[in-house]
Amino acid sequence: MRAVTWHGRADVQVDTVPDPTIQEDTDVVVEVTSSGICGSDLHLIEVMAPFMSVGDVMGHEPMGVVREVGSAVTAVKPGDRVVVPFNISCGTCWMCSQGLQSQCETTQNREQGFGASLFGYTKLYGQVPGGQAEYLRVPFGNTLPIKVPGGLPDDRFVYLSDVLPTSWQAVQYAAVPPGGTLLVLGLGPIGDMCTRIAHHLGIEKVYASEVVPERVARAIARGTEVIRSTDQADVVGAIRDATDGRGPDAVIDAVGMEAHGSPLASIAQKATAIVPDAIMERVMQVVGVDRMAALNTAIEAVRRGGTISLSGVYGGASDPMPLNKMFDKQIQLRMGQANVWRWVPDILPLLVEGDPLGVDDFATHRVPLEQAPQAYADFREKKDGAVKVLLQP
């Protein structure tokens, strides 16, 4: 089959790789019909590159049609249409029963000290082949795939794999009180969807920080007030002016280590391109090379006693945080990989009954799998208005 594979920093290619097969009696094989490119995928060709291997199949936002099932699979059958969550969870362990599928005890990567395995995402998370491919082997066929109805386009459902549950969790974790104010940092796919979900859930005052014109326009069109700057002083000043000097009740950091603004961290990240991987693995695991600009802005902006909901990914182990300020401001901080199945019952009815979140036209680009290298480059450089790219094998 054809698949998007990792070949180095800033280097993805489309190669021919072996077809996936049934390995356990609970496996299914899915023919992929759509698969998103995520901002987290860009980390794999940048700062997280030391944890990748040449030939790794990328992608963790797929959906498609079941083509083959193991002998013990009864929940789905060939021909069924399914979305595949990005975290690989058994659905039956204690963590899964608590709605913490991202911490699944069956697939935890204990040797690495990390949580549940992820499709297409580094040896820290199991090095499981991903879904930017023609076919995908999916374990736990009775509990992991999300069965969705036919008759509607892929765009209606594909974001159940990651974008929708990640954004829904971020808004839930923000815990904005009635009549309160939410600030979202960054209007990439997750930040944009966070603002849509916030409006849908009745949060009255939704602000965002962004400078890319196409992203600004998308948010304004759906009623979000946009601060057209990512400079900390500008953002903090503007949001305090809008909140009687206090700051917002909650801030969602939807940027993470993509944030610009830290020259030293930028130099450290670029060093991953020239320092041997074995060394950089150790540096990231015990020191950290993140750019902390977005998180520092969130800490400065949120009101005293407010909440920061962290959905942007950070890769370092001990990047400095202003704990004295966080303690003094009595900030609540919630974070973590999205627990996809925890939120499916809340989200799926919205996709079947209508399109209140605007998923039908959420993608800005739909391209064949063979064009993945150029699509990655355009998304990375924010060219041609790229906000969300779907690959269609």
Side-chain angles (χ1 to χ4, degrees):
M1 70 172 182
R2 301 290 280 171
V4 179
T5 58
W6 188 93
H7 282 263
R9 295 169 178 85
D11 185 5
V12 298
Q13 300 178 24
V14 181
D15 293 332
T16 299
V17 303
D19 290 349
T21 60
I22 299 292
Q23 299 178 21
E24 304 287 343
D25 61 5
T26 52
D27 288 349
V28 303
V29 173
V30 173
E31 181 180 1
V32 178
T33 54
S34 292
S35 189
I37 298 178
C38 179
S40 297
D41 291 327
L42 300 183
H43 302 333
L44 305 183
I45 58 173
E46 295 172 340
V47 67
M48 301 298 287
F51 301 102
M52 298 291 288
S53 300
V54 173
D56 282 351
V57 178
M58 301 177 66
H60 58 270
E61 298 186 353
M63 71 169 293
V65 178
V66 175
R67 292 305 182 202
E68 189 177 357
V69 302
S71 60
V73 175
T74 58
V76 296
K77 63 184 184 301
D80 284 346
R81 194 179 187 202
V82 296
V83 176
V84 182
F86 76 96
N87 39 35
I88 304 172
S89 59
C90 70
T92 56
C93 71
W94 187 86
M95 284 289 182
C96 288
S97 73
Q98 302 301 304
L100 293 169
Q101 290 85 4
S102 66
Q103 311 301 325
C104 174
E105 292 175 314
T106 305
T107 72
Q108 273 181 27
N109 291 276
R110 293 176 175 83
E111 290 185 3
Q112 301 288 348
F114 279 72
S117 291
L118 309 177
F119 285 105
Y121 213 80
T122 84
K123 64 185 180 184
L124 298 176
Y125 288 99
Q127 213 159 21
V128 180
Q132 290 172 3
E134 292 180 307
Y135 294 91
L136 176 68
R137 171 184 168 260
V138 180
F140 309 112
N142 288 319
T143 53
L144 183 57
I146 304 167
K147 190 174 177 179
V148 297
L152 292 168
D154 279 10
D155 292 53
R156 182 64 64 92
F157 300 111
V158 66
Y159 306 114
L160 268 177
S161 58
D162 182 353
V163 173
L164 282 167
T166 295
S167 304
W168 194 278
Q169 178 171 295
V171 175
Q172 294 292 335
Y173 280 9
V176 180
T181 302
L182 172 67
L183 171 65
V184 178
L185 301 179
L187 286 171
I190 300 301
D192 186 348
M193 187 56 72
C194 283
T195 65
R196 299 177 185 216
I197 290 169
H199 288 300
H200 174 73
L201 293 178
I203 297 174
E204 297 178 13
K205 302 168 187 175
V206 182
Y207 292 80
S209 163
E210 182 57 77
V211 295
V212 179
E214 295 85 357
R215 300 181 177 196
V216 169
R218 282 162 62 100
I220 289 176
R222 300 187 70 90
T224 297
E225 297 284 340
V226 180
I227 301 166
R228 303 190 192 199
S229 175
T230 56
D231 177 79
Q232 182 180 116
D234 292 344
V235 174
V236 172
I239 196 65
R240 285 182 179 170
D241 286 346
T243 55
D244 298 323
R246 287 187 299 271
D249 298 283
V251 179
I252 294 175
D253 174 1
V255 180
M257 63 179 161
E258 297 170 271
H260 298 285
S262 172
L264 291 177
S266 179
I267 292 170
Q269 287 187 351
K270 291 175 181 177
T272 66
I274 57 175
V275 177
D277 286 350
I279 297 175
M280 283 311 302
E281 284 186 31
R282 185 61 179 166
V283 168
M284 291 182 64
Q285 288 175 325
V286 301
V287 179
V289 294
D290 290 331
R291 303 178 184 184
M292 302 287 287
L295 182 55
N296 285 331
T297 297
I299 293 168
E300 189 66 30
V302 72
R303 69 162 169 81
R304 291 178 178 274
T307 301
I308 295 174
S309 175
L310 183 57
S311 65
V313 176
Y314 287 91
S318 58
D319 295 291
M321 294 180 66
L323 293 177
N324 58 340
K325 178 172 288 188
M326 296 170 69
F327 181 85
D328 178 67
K329 291 187 72 173
Q330 203 167 331
I331 291 171
Q332 301 176 74
L333 180 61
R334 299 195 70 183
M335 66 185 84
Q337 301 278 9
N339 304 295
V340 174
W341 261 107
R342 165 65 180 84
W343 309 110
V344 167
D346 295 321
I347 302 169
L348 185 55
L350 302 179
L351 308 179
V352 174
E353 297 167 3
D355 189 21
L357 303 178
V359 295
D360 283 347
D361 58 0
F362 189 71
T364 54
H365 295 72
R366 300 168 184 82
V367 302
L369 187 71
E370 296 293 331
Q371 296 179 17
Q374 186 61 52
Y376 263 84
D378 290 346
F379 182 41
R380 185 186 187 200
E381 301 299 326
K382 301 179 176 67
K383 289 183 179 179
D384 192 29
V387 179
K388 188 61 183 179
V389 180
L390 293 179
L391 301 175
Q392 299 176 319

